[in-house]
Amino acid sequence: MTIAAVRTHRLSAPLHTPFVTALRRTTTVQTLVVEVTDDDGRSGYGEAPQVWQVTGASVAGAEACVRDVLAPAVVGRDADDVLARCAEMAATVAGNEAARCALDVALHDLAARRLGVPLVRLLGGTALRVPTDVTLAAGDGAELARAARQRQGEGFDVLKLKVGTDAAGDLARVRAVRAAVGPGVRIRLDANQGWTPREAVRVIRGVEDAGLDVELVEQPVARWDLDGMAWVGDRVGVPILADEAVFGVRDLVEVIRRRAADLVNVKLAKCGGLRPARTLLELARAHGMGTLVGSMMESQVGVGAAASLAAAYTTSAVSDLDAAWWLARSPVRGGLRYEGATVVLPDAPGLGITSVTETKVHHQS
């Protein structure tokens, strides 16, 4: 059975709450969904989220890459030979991780649908329930405390606090959140590259000295400053999680070589899809690094793929899969749902997505 067509769908979906980090503020998800169809009319879906400040990916750029380069590499080829198709597709273009991710995931989703099994089964797992953290968008201490209490009341017991917008006030923000939720909730910090190495050490040591019990600190310094990140890690006790510093395998090798982080956050849209993500997880484990699977601001398509990966490859820390929770309404039919702090994957073929609801087909190959 061959791949008959590749279509792209531009999506724009509102968030119920603004998402604010040290890098950006957004009130919508702008993303590209790629649909791969076989000769029998079955479709698989993947996603390329637009994240200018992190990956540099845009909807227009991803669509052009899929249309002009990636789709011609797979149309007419065997739909069941997934790893070969992914390898051929990845070899056709440099960079463009989000576009490659969308087609990689769509190929995996289609293969799982053709076998009649959930995507997690294709990846070697069976679990359909995956715990997730939830993000507290950057804000002042009072705002964060209110949001923390609300999320705790909704059943979330791992909170990711966005910091890095104001190093001088970050310790007070962490104090406010810890006071609001008490000792029974795990708190992790994400600076999104917002601190200098000296600021990072000052804030993290302040957190440690105050006994605020922070689980980890994500990407404290600029993604290119691996020496700075290693310098921070040598001077604090809280584990350091690499995020923006690791897109692909070569990045992770360098982080390992320099001992720049204790854990790595693997995101499909950073690395290019499920095929390279599995390599990153195995490489990290082989070198004694902690792991978790994360997501960009994306829909049930991208988060469903990430959650399926996390379900198949048990991570050492609770994964970061709350992106679709932020949506005021879903731009697709079917797919995952949230029960408190749990992502529930559908017991249905592939990702369980039945259609894209809020878009027009922009391109077909």
Side-chain angles (χ1 to χ4, degrees):
M1 189 64 62
T2 62
I3 297 167
V6 177
R7 301 180 181 90
T8 58
H9 308 264
R10 294 189 180 196
L11 271 66
S12 179
L15 305 181
H16 57 67
T17 306
F19 187 79
V20 185
T21 76
L23 293 174
R24 63 176 179 143
R25 181 184 191 276
T26 186
T27 57
T28 60
V29 165
Q30 304 288 335
T31 194
L32 184 79
V33 167
V34 172
E35 179 183 0
V36 176
T37 306
D38 68 12
D39 289 332
D40 280 345
R42 283 179 289 243
S43 292
Y45 297 92
E47 183 169 0
Q50 177 170 286
V51 193
W52 290 107
Q53 298 87 345
V54 180
T55 63
S58 68
V59 168
E63 187 172 52
C65 182
V66 171
R67 178 189 65 229
D68 297 340
V69 183
L70 302 183
V74 300
V75 170
R77 308 299 300 278
D78 185 352
D80 292 325
D81 200 356
V82 177
L83 293 183
R85 296 293 81 78
C86 288
E88 292 163 358
M89 175 265 297
T92 62
V93 64
N96 288 278
E97 291 87 359
R100 290 193 283 115
C101 167
L103 191 51
D104 170 294
V105 170
L107 290 167
H108 282 84
D109 184 32
L110 178 59
R113 288 170 188 266
R114 288 174 54 77
L115 292 171
V117 299
L119 178 58
V120 64
R121 293 292 299 272
L122 184 72
L123 297 176
T126 59
L128 295 175
R129 299 176 66 87
V130 188
T132 181
D133 66 6
V134 70
T135 298
L136 303 180
D140 63 33
E143 293 170 335
L144 289 166
R146 283 194 298 272
R149 283 191 292 268
Q150 186 172 357
R151 299 293 89 82
Q152 183 183 29
E154 292 165 348
F156 291 97
D157 57 3
V158 183
L159 305 179
K160 182 162 84 167
L161 170 57
K162 291 290 188 180
V163 292
T165 56
D166 167 31
D170 279 337
L171 177 57
R173 293 181 178 90
V174 183
R175 284 184 187 274
V177 170
R178 177 53 76 197
V181 299
V185 171
R186 272 180 282 174
I187 295 174
R188 48 180 61 165
L189 308 183
D190 186 1
N192 284 116
Q193 311 179 65
W195 293 326
T196 67
R198 290 187 184 277
E199 287 173 339
V201 170
R202 185 163 59 249
V203 175
I204 298 169
R205 281 183 175 173
V207 165
E208 292 173 337
D209 291 345
L212 298 178
D213 191 22
V214 165
E215 176 192 14
L216 57 85
V217 175
E218 186 171 0
Q219 201 60 49
V221 301
R223 57 168 295 195
W224 49 263
D225 191 6
L226 296 186
D227 289 338
M229 194 155 68
W231 187 86
V232 172
D234 285 343
R235 286 158 177 80
V236 300
V238 175
I240 302 299
L241 169 66
D243 179 9
E244 291 94 337
V246 176
F247 276 55
V249 172
R250 289 182 177 86
D251 297 329
L252 182 55
V253 168
E254 194 63 16
V255 167
I256 292 168
R257 188 183 71 81
R258 300 198 200 185
R259 300 182 183 275
D262 303 289
L263 308 94
V264 62
N265 187 346
V266 175
K267 295 180 179 177
L268 302 184
K270 280 192 308 175
C271 70
L274 290 163
R275 177 175 171 267
R278 295 163 81 176
T279 301
L280 289 171
L281 290 172
E282 295 291 1
L283 178 62
R285 287 175 180 169
H287 287 269
M289 287 188 74
T291 57
L292 61 86
V293 175
S295 55
M296 303 296 185
M297 291 307 293
E298 48 197 308
S299 77
Q300 284 80 354
V301 177
V303 179
S308 297
L309 177 67
Y313 286 73
T314 305
T315 57
S316 63
V318 170
S319 286
D320 181 26
L321 302 168
D322 65 326
W325 174 88
W326 289 78
L327 293 171
R329 61 180 181 272
S330 174
V332 300
R333 291 191 178 95
L336 66 83
R337 60 188 172 85
Y338 291 89
E339 288 184 2
T342 301
V343 176
V344 182
L345 295 166
D347 190 6
L351 292 168
I353 303 294
T354 58
S355 65
V356 177
T357 61
E358 295 187 6
T359 186
K360 296 178 181 178
V361 176
H362 280 253
H363 173 72
Q364 178 172 336
S365 295

